[in-house]
Amino acid sequence: MRPCYILPAALLSGKNAYRDRLLVEQPVSIMLCELHHHIPQVKGRRRFYCVNGWSLECEWTGYRLADFLALANPTGKFVKATSLGGYVDTTSIETLLRGDSWLVTHMDGEPLSFKRGQPVRLMVFDLYQFKGVKAIQSLEITDTYEKGTWSTVGYTDATIQPYPHRAIDKNENIMPEAHLLALFEQSQIAGESL
């Protein structure tokens, strides 16, 4: 039997250090195996992209991050995700919701393996996956952006680039989908990474 994990409870500790106010209106702590009683589970085929030039499409099962955040009604601007191993990434809530990010528990019908981010991982489908965090330990709502693990070593632009990526599920090179290419164009016009 699979253990029943407690979903990241750092939404409880999302305080603004300067004003000492809670950055969620309704603190949340839910057992992962009970989450389906609170928000709908979703399943679908989605492709994700790695900054190293490959991509993979699978059937993912989990929960929309938007639905999970709605339980807490965050008032901060960013989600800081931290893995069990200490990997960290901070992304604006607006960016995460724009791309319909998910909290994923299954890949191709099977529970996530340790290698794939057991028990739950953040999937950010419209940016390079270094913005997603495997094996989530905590999700914290913050008012400030903090550089993540990959950002500190130079990967600052998570926008999927307009060149062929190796689709390892098809064993061929494919271009990113049109909506991802449009996001790239928007990032070039704005002069900043999304």
Side-chain angles (χ1 to χ4, degrees), residues 6-152:
I6 295 176
L7 241 137
L11 287 173
L12 297 170
S13 64
K15 288 194 177 193
N16 180 318
Y18 302 105
R19 289 174 276 190
D20 195 35
R21 68 178 173 88
L22 197 63
L23 296 177
V24 295
E25 290 182 8
Q26 182 64 44
V28 175
S29 182
I30 299 171
M31 301 294 282
L32 184 55
C33 62
E34 297 294 323
L35 191 56
H36 68 280
H37 294 300
H38 300 273
I39 59 177
Q41 192 174 57
V42 292
K43 182 187 290 190
R45 293 197 69 77
R46 305 281 302 266
R47 179 169 297 282
F48 80 91
Y49 291 83
C50 178
V51 72
N52 292 325
W54 60 271
S55 71
L56 175 65
E57 180 180 311
C58 328
E59 181 182 80
W60 302 100
T61 304
Y63 304 90
R64 284 193 167 87
L65 184 64
D67 294 338
F68 181 67
L69 291 177
L71 294 172
N73 198 15
T75 58
K77 297 177 185 176
F78 299 93
V79 173
K80 178 181 175 183
T82 304
S83 78
L84 293 167
Y87 184 94
V88 176
D89 190 76
T90 304
T91 307
S92 74
I93 292 173
E94 178 183 354
T95 297
L96 291 170
L97 298 185
R98 175 203 68 208
D100 190 29
S101 298
W102 291 11
L103 294 171
V104 169
T105 58
H106 290 71
M107 178 179 171
D108 285 334
E110 297 292 326
L112 291 176
S113 65
F114 176 79
K115 178 181 174 181
R116 297 291 179 209
Q118 178 190 63
V120 61
R121 74 183 284 178
L122 177 63
M123 293 297 294
V124 183
F125 295 104
D126 68 338
L127 296 173
Y128 280 129
Q129 196 52 37
F130 71 83
K131 297 301 283 179
V133 175
K134 294 180 182 179
I136 294 175
Q137 174 179 311
S138 65
L139 295 174
E140 182 181 354
I141 304 301
T142 71
D143 265 339
T144 56
Y145 172 81
E146 295 176 36
K147 277 188 169 185
T149 302
W150 273 55
S151 298
T152 59

